[in-house]
């Protein structure tokens, strides 16, 4: 099983990680934790000090926005996950 | 009515099928408020003025600083310490003296936002979520089109909001990243030009608007991604105002 995970340009600039990652299984939240395991700087922008997911993190699966209650739903082979931060600069 | 000078000035854009003198007249009658005259508001203002949007209202409560000039291209060195709305108004009027440009140098608050916006189409070129949500509230309550853009670093977002048909700003964002974050001048240039494109298409009735979709600009990889966005049935701003079949509740 293979899931492609894309990290947004802002997030990969802040965490100094690459754009595309392959994850073998899990939920959207598991994908983030998997990648953050190899890129600890990512967690500063996605999780609080107690390990809770920050509300500024957004997940899309196959181009569809995931709501909070959908983040632990298992993904399927071939799914594509896009992880971004909410932004408001002008 | 458009005159001979308009026919000369706008000839090349009026050649586009579906535009013509009738479309140009619609732009001349159009009323647009640009909220924020910074990185996004600069290209939005310049291109809407150049295209002949007849009534442009600029909102911003800040003055021009040296550190703005790498991205806020409507302002120049000689404008430092001037109110941004006055600097931008002068630039837009120099570009196109045939249009009306209002400069309102107020910070947007819950008390004044309805008066500041009136019934104008809203271009969201703000730099903070709180002001965006206030503008969104006016758009939702009054059914005004809302052209949303946001940037940081080499990333940008854009979507077009039609209240009742599409998600509103509050459906899209629960929170945003904060702090002293980078921004590259070309990023708001890309997104601001796309916002201006959507405004023109809206008034002309051309093509397909970016509704129910969000475009994500990745300047690092030089790619655009499109994602679907949907209304939040629990949205505090729009869920009680519009039914999920589209009409008012």
């Amino acid at each position: 099983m293979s899931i492609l995970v894309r990290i947004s340009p802002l997030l990969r600039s802040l965490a100094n990680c690459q754009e595309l990652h392959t994850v073998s299984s899990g939920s959207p939240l598991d994908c983030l934790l998997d990648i953050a395991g190899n890129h600890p700087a990512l967690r500063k922008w996605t999780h609080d000090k107690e390990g809770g997911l920050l509300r500024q993190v957004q997940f899309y699966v196959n181009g569809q926005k995931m709501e909070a209650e959908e983040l632990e739903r298992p993904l399927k082979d071939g799914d594509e996950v896009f992880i971004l931060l909410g932004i408001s600069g002008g | 009515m458009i005159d001979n000078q308009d026919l000369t000035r706008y000839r090349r854009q009026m050649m586009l099928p579906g535009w013509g003198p009738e479309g140009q007249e619609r732009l001349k009658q159009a009323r647009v408020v640009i909220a924020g005259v910074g990185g996004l508001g600069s290209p939005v203002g310049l291109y809407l003025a150049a295209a002949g949007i007849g009534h442009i209202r600029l909102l911003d409560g800040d003055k021009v600083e040296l550190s703005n000039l790498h991205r806020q291209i409507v302002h120049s060195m000689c404008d430092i310490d001037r109110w941004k709305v006055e600097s931008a108004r002068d630039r837009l009027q120099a570009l196109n003296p045939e249009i009306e440009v209002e400069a309102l140098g107020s910070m947007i608050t819950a008390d004044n936002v309805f008066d500041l916006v009136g019934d104008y189409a809203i271009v969201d070129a703000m730099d903070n979520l709180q002001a965006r949500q206030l503008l969104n509230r006016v758009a939702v309550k009054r059914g005004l089109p809302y052209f949303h853009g946001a940037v940081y670093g080499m990333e940008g977002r854009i979507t077009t909001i039609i209240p009742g048909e599409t998600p509103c700003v509050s459906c899209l964002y629960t929170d945003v990243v904060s702090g002293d974050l980078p921004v590259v001048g070309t990023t708001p240039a890309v997104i601001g030009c796309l916002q201006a494109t959507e405004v023109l298409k809206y008034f002309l009735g051309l093509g397909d608007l970016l509704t129910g979709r969000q475009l994500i600009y990745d300047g690092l990889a030089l790619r655009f991604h499109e994602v679907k966005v949907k209304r939040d049935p629990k949205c505090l701003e729009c869920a009680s105002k519009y039914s999920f079949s589209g009409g008012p509740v």
Side-chain angles (χ1 to χ4, degrees):
Chain A
M1 180 153 143
S2 176
I3 296 158
L4 185 69
V5 184
R6 187 183 305 279
I7 303 293
S8 77
L10 178 66
L11 195 46
R12 61 184 196 263
S13 294
L14 297 171
N16 195 26
C17 68
Q18 71 267 30
E19 180 186 10
L20 298 173
H21 304 256
T22 304
V23 173
S24 57
S25 66
S27 65
L29 207 49
D30 292 332
C31 291
L32 174 58
L33 291 171
D34 191 320
I35 297 165
N38 294 321
H39 299 87
L42 207 58
R43 287 188 72 96
K44 178 186 167 191
W45 301 96
T46 58
H47 290 78
D48 62 24
K49 285 176 183 161
E50 287 73 43
L53 185 69
L54 293 171
R55 286 154 47 91
Q56 65 200 27
V57 185
Q58 301 176 343
F59 292 83
Y60 289 85
V61 175
N62 302 326
Q64 301 273 356
K65 188 164 187 241
M66 294 290 104
E67 302 304 331
E69 60 273 18
E70 299 172 300
L71 297 182
E72 296 185 55
R73 190 176 295 171
L75 294 160
K76 302 186 302 295
D77 185 35
D79 278 347
E80 291 194 15
V81 180
F82 197 178
I83 302 174
L84 307 100
L85 299 177
I87 59 174
S88 67
Chain B
M1 289 290 291
I2 62 170
D3 55 26
N4 282 340
Q5 183 172 301
D6 292 336
L7 290 172
T8 302
R9 176 186 283 267
Y10 304 119
R11 184 178 72 86
R12 294 293 293 273
Q13 63 190 30
M14 287 193 298
M15 289 165 65
L16 196 73
W19 196 308
E22 299 79 14
Q24 196 59 49
E25 179 62 30
R26 282 200 291 278
L27 297 188
K28 193 167 189 172
Q29 300 303 324
R31 293 184 289 191
V32 177
V33 59
I34 302 172
V37 192
L40 289 169
S42 289
V44 171
L46 287 166
Y47 279 103
L48 292 186
I53 292 287
H55 308 274
I56 294 176
R57 179 177 290 171
L58 304 172
L59 301 182
D60 202 305
D62 287 336
K63 289 185 174 178
V64 179
E65 299 175 17
L66 181 61
S67 62
N68 300 148
L69 297 184
H70 77 110
R71 66 190 188 282
Q72 301 184 14
I73 58 163
V74 77
H75 313 294
S76 299
M77 281 296 287
C78 59
D79 298 315
I80 287 174
D81 291 332
R82 293 183 72 200
W83 294 106
K84 286 185 181 178
V85 286
E86 294 180 357
S87 161
R89 178 199 56 205
D90 292 351
R91 176 75 182 93
L92 301 191
Q93 293 278 215
L95 176 61
N96 192 345
E98 304 304 314
I99 63 169
E100 174 191 292
V101 183
E102 282 179 271
L104 302 183
S106 306
M107 290 293 183
I108 294 171
T109 68
D111 291 334
N112 67 14
V113 68
F114 282 87
D115 291 335
L116 291 174
V117 171
D119 62 353
Y120 283 37
I122 300 168
V123 176
D124 168 10
M126 294 303 302
D127 61 1
N128 67 88
L129 184 58
Q130 189 181 18
R132 292 176 191 277
Q133 286 174 329
L134 292 173
L135 292 163
N136 177 65
R137 184 168 298 164
V138 181
V140 168
K141 287 219 164 135
R142 293 186 173 160
L144 303 172
Y146 184 107
F147 304 91
H148 168 67
V151 295
Y152 271 137
M154 295 186 79
E155 176 176 333
R157 316 273 182 91
I158 172 174
T159 190
T160 296
I161 294 169
I162 306 294
E165 294 178 23
T166 69
C168 74
V169 165
S170 293
C171 298
L172 297 177
Y173 295 99
T174 47
D175 202 0
V176 293
V177 63
S178 59
D180 190 21
L181 293 162
V183 64
V184 176
T186 51
T187 304
V190 169
I191 299 300
C193 284
L194 293 175
Q195 287 178 283
T197 305
E198 285 289 278
V199 172
L200 297 175
K201 284 164 54 192
Y202 172 82
F203 284 109
L204 292 164
L206 280 179
D208 298 316
L209 293 172
L210 191 64
T211 49
R213 303 177 285 145
Q214 189 171 47
L215 205 58
I216 297 164
Y217 164 66
D218 180 340
L220 283 175
L222 221 316
R223 268 195 280 272
F224 286 91
H225 302 279
E226 185 178 305
V227 294
K228 289 199 172 92
V229 288
K230 54 191 177 189
R231 291 185 62 197
D232 178 357
K234 299 188 291 292
C235 177
L236 297 174
E237 295 295 338
C238 75
S240 63
K241 170 76 176 167
Y242 294 99
S243 73
F244 278 75
S245 57
V249 171

